[in-house]
Amino acid sequence: MSTIFEKIIAREIPAAIIFEDDIVISFLDISPNNKGHALVVPKKKFENIFDADLEVAGHMMHVAKKIAHALQEAVGATGVNLVMNNGADAGQEVFHAHLHVIPRFPQDGIFQKPKHTSYETGEAEKLAEEIKNAIR
Ligand code: AMP
């Protein structure tokens, strides 16, 4: 199924494009957390980290670094969040992979403090072993 990002890549709908090469395109998020919030999107679609082409994903990170520096210069960002939502339960709404590059400013307060949980004694070690054994 075609996503809104494929339409942007095909120039069927407009976007404020800030960078493009053979592998990725980057444009401003239409509903930014802060002004300058950009998305880095692979031209050849994969959905998210679970089916990612790792070479392309590596290139997305490379481009995100360029954009992070550009945001320091262009909007005076003093920090940058790189965010990738993978799966509906992680907040993914557009199922064409994308890396958010979000400029941050002192006390901008754009994110709530996340909830935390804790481990019982020995639980983290047991879980670490299970996850370690599941890594392929
Ligand atoms: P996610 O929740 O990680 O899937 O984020 C999808 C992002 O795409 C959201 O931050 C939206 O604001 C953004 N978005 C959706 N449609 C467009 C569009 N036409 N142009 C730019 N950004 C968009």
Side-chain angles (χ1 to χ4, degrees):
M1 202 180 72
S2 131
T3 68
I4 194 99
F5 293 167
E6 280 164 288
K7 293 192 172 77
I8 290 173
I9 292 163
R11 303 298 201 276
E12 287 167 15
I13 61 165
I17 296 169
I18 58 171
F19 180 87
E20 183 171 23
D21 63 16
D22 290 345
I23 304 165
V24 300
I25 187 167
S26 180
F27 48 86
L28 297 185
D29 195 296
I30 204 165
S31 178
N33 293 122
N34 268 329
K35 290 179 183 177
H37 176 171
L39 302 174
V40 181
V41 177
K43 286 189 170 173
K44 189 162 173 247
K45 181 186 167 189
F46 54 89
E47 279 199 0
N48 53 39
I49 194 71
F50 296 113
D51 64 341
D53 176 326
L54 290 183
E55 216 167 295
V56 174
H59 187 65
M60 287 165 69
M61 185 61 85
H62 180 93
V63 171
K65 178 174 162 68
K66 284 181 190 289
I67 293 169
H69 284 299
L71 290 172
Q72 285 181 310
E73 191 176 320
V75 297
T78 50
V80 162
N81 289 110
L82 298 184
V83 176
M84 186 175 184
N85 300 321
N86 300 283
D89 289 341
Q92 186 173 9
E93 290 177 351
V94 177
F95 285 83
H96 181 140
H98 50 283
L99 195 53
H100 295 256
V101 187
I102 305 168
R104 299 300 304 272
F105 306 96
Q107 283 88 48
D108 64 10
I110 61 170
F111 295 132
Q112 305 282 335
K113 201 171 172 353
K115 264 172 50 179
H116 291 272
T117 185
S118 59
Y119 294 112
E120 303 292 332
T121 308
E123 192 183 353
E125 292 73 10
K126 185 172 172 291
L127 183 58
E129 196 60 27
E130 285 169 18
I131 296 170
K132 192 168 85 182
N133 292 335
I135 292 176
R136 307 280 171 251

